[in-house]
Amino acid sequence: MAELEKVYDPKKTEDRIYKMWLDGGYFHAEPDSSKLPFSIVIPPPNVTGQLHLGHALDNTIQDVLTRYKRMRGYAAVWVPGTDHAGIATQARVEKELRGEGVSRHDLGREAFVERVWEWKTEYGGRIIEQLKLLGSSCDWERERFTMDEGCSRAVREFFVSLYEKGLIYKGERIINWCPRCVTALSDVEVEHEEQAGHFWHIKYRVTNSDEFVVVATTRPETMLGDTAVAVHPDDARYSHLIGKTVILPLMNREIPVIADEYVDREFGTGCVKITPCHDPNDFEVGNRHDLERILVMDNDAKIINGGKYDGLDRYDARRAIIEDLQALGQLVKIEEHTHSVGKCERCGTVVEPITSNQWFVKMQPLAEPAMDVVRDGRMKFVPERFAKTYMNWMENVRDWCVSRQLWWGHQIPAWHCEKCGHITVARDDPDKCEKCGSADIKRDPDVLDTWFSSALWPFSVFGWPDRTPELDFWYPTTVVTPGYEIIFFWVARMIFSGMEFMGDVPFRTAFIHGIVRDDKGRKMSKSLGNGIDPQDIIDQYGADALRMNMISGNSPGSDMRFYPERCEAMRNFANKIWNAARFVMMNLTTDKNELPAALEPEDKWILSRLAAATREISENLDKYELGLASAKIYDFIWDDFCDWYIELSKPRLNSGDADAAASAQKMLLYVLTEILKLLHPFMPFITEEIWQALPHEGDALMIQTYPEYTAALDFPREAADFERVMAAIRAVRARRAEMSVPPSKRPSLTIVSDNPEIFEAGLVYIARLAYAGDVIVSRSAPADTDSMVSAATDSARIYMPLRELVDTEKERARITKELEKARADLERLESKLSNAEFTAKAPERVVAAERERADKARALIANLEASLKGLD
RNA sequence: GGGAGCAUAGCUCAGCCGGUUAGAGCACCUGCUUUACACGCAGGGGGUCACAGGUUCGAGUCCUGUUGUUCCCACCA
C-alpha cells in the first residue's frame, strides 16, 4: 500500500492520473444498445482561445454530468472540439502578417487560408490541452473542428438543401456593417449601448419657395444619401407639402416629400429625412415609395457619392457637414440626445447600417417548429426562465445574414454566371451555369457566419449527413451547457437546425449557466486586466479545488464572483480527504473491501448518513442542482465522516481487540470508498489517486458504479439513538469549553437517562470524545449533584464532578436561562398543536414532527428542572 | 419602450415542492501540539431574510405594490 504524504500535492498526481485515464481508454464510448445513451457536445471554444474561467465553469459542469452518468452505467460520450471562429482567427493571423509588413491581399486568398491553417495546426490545440488540465473526460478520439472535412460536408449539405427549399436567399437588404472587420454582421453580433450624442435639426428648403421643413437626425452624414423627406399622411402641418420637393442642402439635390405612416407626428419635428441605404426603417420606406437608393459610404465607412465629402471618414464628414450647414444657416439647433449605438461584438467599432447584397436564412418557417418544441416540452431549459428569453427572441427573429466578407471560413457554395447572372448552388463544385450552360462562372467569394457551422454541431459531430450508428444512438443529445450569453448565437440556431434536418431537437435539456465575474462583480476582460488564468489557479490549488469552487455555492443560471480564497477552502477540503484516507490506510490490515459481519451503533449511524447523502446527491445531480449536490458531499465528508466517524473509530482501533479493530477498519474502508465514488465527478483527480492506493477491484474509480441508496443499509432507528449519544457528547464539550476545562482533565461522568441502554452502548465514545474518565449510566442522579456541573439534552442529564469549578449561583442562572428558552419553545409548539386548524389542515408528517419536537422539549425541560433541583 | 434577475450574518453566497430555533465558506472571539489533517480540532458571537400590504393553520419561500440594483431585448429618426 502506497505511503501518502502528509499534505496532498495535486501537482504530483494530476498529470499522472490523467494519463492513466487516457491510457485506459475510459473516456471513449461506442454506441451500445445494451446501455442507455448519454451525450454532450462541447460548446466548441474558439481555436484562438485561451482557457478562461468561463470555460472552467462550463467544462466542469459537463465533466461532472458526464462522469456521473458514466458511473451510472450510461454509454456516456462527451464530444470535444473547437470552432474555427471566422472573424477572430482571421484577425489574429492578419495581425501576425502586419508584423511582417504584409496584408492578406498581398498573399492572396489561397495562400492566406493556407497560412491560417498553419496557424491553426500550430496553436489551435492549446485550448484543448488546457481542457485536459481540468480533468475533462472528453472522448478525444471523437474530437472535431468546425472546418474539418465532415463538418464542411455538413455545412455544404445544409446550405444547399436550405437553398433548395427556398430558405436561403441572396438579396440587397440593410445589414450591420463593421468597417474595421470589413464584413457584414448578423443582428446578434451587434451590441447596443446607450451613448450621449446630439440631435441635429436641419432646414431643408421647399423647392421654389421660402418655406423650410426641419428634420432632425443623430447621424447628419447620412443626409448625403437622403432621397426623400417623409411626413405623416394625416399631419395637417405638412399636408400641403406632400408631393412637392425640397432641396437637399450641401448636395443641392431635389428630393420628394412623401407621406408615410411610419412617421411619428409627436417625435421631433414630425419630418423625417429618408436615407434608404443607411437606415433600416428608411429602407422600408424607400421600398414602399420606390425611392432611389444612394449609398454614401464604402466598406471602410468613408464617404462616397457625397460630392466634396468623398473620401472623408464618416466622423470627419459629420464634423464638416455640421460646419457647412452652420455656415449656410441651415442648422437650426443642436439638442443633447442619448441614443443607442450598435457596436461590433468582436472589435467594438460602431457598426454602420448599410444596404448590401448578402445571403440570408429565412427565419419564419424555421422558427415555428423551434418554438413548438419548447412549448410542448420536448426540449426544456434549466433554469426555466431562459425559455422565456428564447421564445421572446424567436418570436421576433429576423432573417439571419449569414454571409461574411472574410476568407477564413466555409466559402459559400454558390457560383454566379457572368453571362446570364444565374446563381448555381450545388453540392459538388459545378463547371458551368446550371441555367445557360456557360462556363464563365465565378464562385461567390463570401464565407459563412461561424455560427452557421456551430448550429449543426450536435449532429455534424456524429457524422451527419451520413446516417451513422453514432447519430442513431446519441442524437438527440442529452444536455447542452452554454452560458446565457450564447442562447441566441448558438442554442436557438441549433434548435431550428436540428428540427429542420434531423426532425428532432438537438438536445433534451439546455442547462444554462451564468458568467464568472471578478471579485468586484465585474466582467473579466482583457481591457480591464482583471482576468484570472485558470492555469494559475490549478498550479496553486489544484484542478479539483478549482472545479469544486466553480460548482459549489452557486445556483443554476446565476452569475458568480470568483474568489481565489474560496479555492483555498476547497484545497483544504482536498487535504482533509487526503488525510482521512491516510488515517484509513494507516490502520488498514485488510485487503478486501467488505462490510464487517456485525455493525456497531456508530456504524449504523454513519451508514444511515451515507445512505441519506447518497440519495440526496443523486437527486440533486438529476435535477442539475450541482451546487446542492456538492454541498451535500462536502458536509457529509467533513462533518459526518471526518469529524465524527473517524473519531468514533479510534477507540475500537486502539482497543487491543483485534476483531473490533478489524471491523472498524472494514467500516472505514467501506465508507471511504463510497465517498470517493460519490465525490469523483466533482473532484476526479484526488479521488482516483486515493482509490488507486486503497484495496480495490477494477482498474479505475472513474468506471466504478455510482452508489445508489440501499434501504438495507439505512438504519433510521439506530441512527436516531446514536444521535442522542452524540448530543450528550456535544453537551459535555460545550460545558467544558465554557468553563475552560482542558482536555487533559478527565472527570468521571454520570449519565442519567430513562433509556440507559442507549448510552451504555456508547460508553467508550463518550469517554473519548467528551474527554471523560470513567462513565456511569444510571436511571437516577448521583447523591451529591449540588457540587457537580451538569449538562442536559432532551434524552439525558450528565453530571461532572468539577467541584472546584462550580459556582452554584452561576450554575443556577445558566440552567434557568436554558430552561426559559426551552419553556418558550414548548409554549410555541403547544400553542401550534392546540390550534385545531393546524392539526386539521397541516399534513400528517408535519404535525407528527411538531409533536415529537414538543416531546423533546418537555424531556429537556424535565432534565433541566432536575438539574436545577440537584443544585439545591 | 418591453422583459428578466437580484436584495438573507462584517464579506461572498446557498436555502429546490411554503412546515424545526434561517445555513455555508471567509472574517471575528475563546480554548487545544486529543499520534489523519494547524490546509487542523472543540466551543462561541453575529441576521427585523430591502420595505409595505395580502393569501395561508403556517411566509425568507407564494401574490400585489414600492424602493434600490444588475442584465437582456427593441428600427422613434
Side-chain angles (χ1 to χ4, degrees), chain A residues 87 94 98 104-105 175-185 189-190 219 221 278 297-303 312-315 341-354 405-406:
Chain A
I87 299 178
E94 282 192 279
R98 263 201 304 282
R104 69 175 152 121
H105 300 281
I175 48 87
N176 307 290
W177 184 267
C178 176
R180 169 125 175 240
C181 299
V182 202
T183 179
L185 302 173
E189 284 163 293
V190 178
R219 294 183 299 149
E221 64 280 8
H278 293 277
M297 269 180 227
D298 67 7
N299 289 345
D300 301 323
K302 289 200 169 71
I303 301 299
L312 287 182
D313 169 79
R314 52 185 165 167
Y315 297 120
V341 175
K343 293 187 170 177
C344 172
E345 176 235 0
R346 280 277 151 217
C347 72
T349 304
V350 174
V351 299
E352 209 56 50
I354 61 172
Q405 287 61 55
L406 305 171

Side-chain angles (χ1 to χ4, degrees), chain A residues 10-68:
Chain A
K11 284 204 195 70
K12 288 185 184 154
T13 86
E14 292 180 355
D15 288 352
R16 178 168 37 80
I17 291 291
Y18 199 82
K19 184 163 185 307
M20 185 209 89
W21 288 329
L22 282 177
D23 292 346
Y26 308 129
F27 298 161
H28 181 66
E30 288 289 337
D32 178 352
S33 56
S34 70
K35 294 177 173 180
L36 288 168
F38 174 86
S39 50
I40 295 187
V41 293
I42 201 170
N46 291 353
V47 277
T48 54
Q50 286 276 14
L51 193 77
H52 57 68
L53 286 172
H55 294 121
L57 171 62
D58 191 50
N59 290 287
T60 299
I61 291 170
Q62 293 173 76
D63 199 44
V64 169
L65 295 174
T66 307
R67 285 181 184 271
Y68 170 60

Side-chain angles (χ1 to χ4, degrees), chain A residues 187-254:
Chain A
D187 293 338
V188 288
E189 284 163 293
V190 178
E191 286 176 347
H192 294 273
E193 198 180 288
E194 287 286 308
Q195 220 171 57
H198 301 282
F199 212 17
W200 283 280
H201 290 62
I202 305 166
K203 290 201 290 191
Y204 288 12
R205 191 166 61 79
V206 179
T207 312
N208 300 324
S209 151
D210 294 333
E211 198 179 348
F212 287 91
V213 294
V214 177
V215 299
T217 180
T218 54
R219 294 183 299 149
E221 64 280 8
T222 62
M223 69 173 287
L224 302 173
D226 284 4
T227 52
V229 166
V231 297
H232 192 92
D234 304 329
D235 193 335
R237 291 174 295 175
Y238 303 116
S239 50
H240 65 288
L241 295 175
I242 296 167
K244 293 194 173 160
T245 59
V246 297
I247 305 294
L248 181 66
L250 307 178
M251 298 302 287
N252 295 319
R253 188 160 66 229
E254 198 174 331

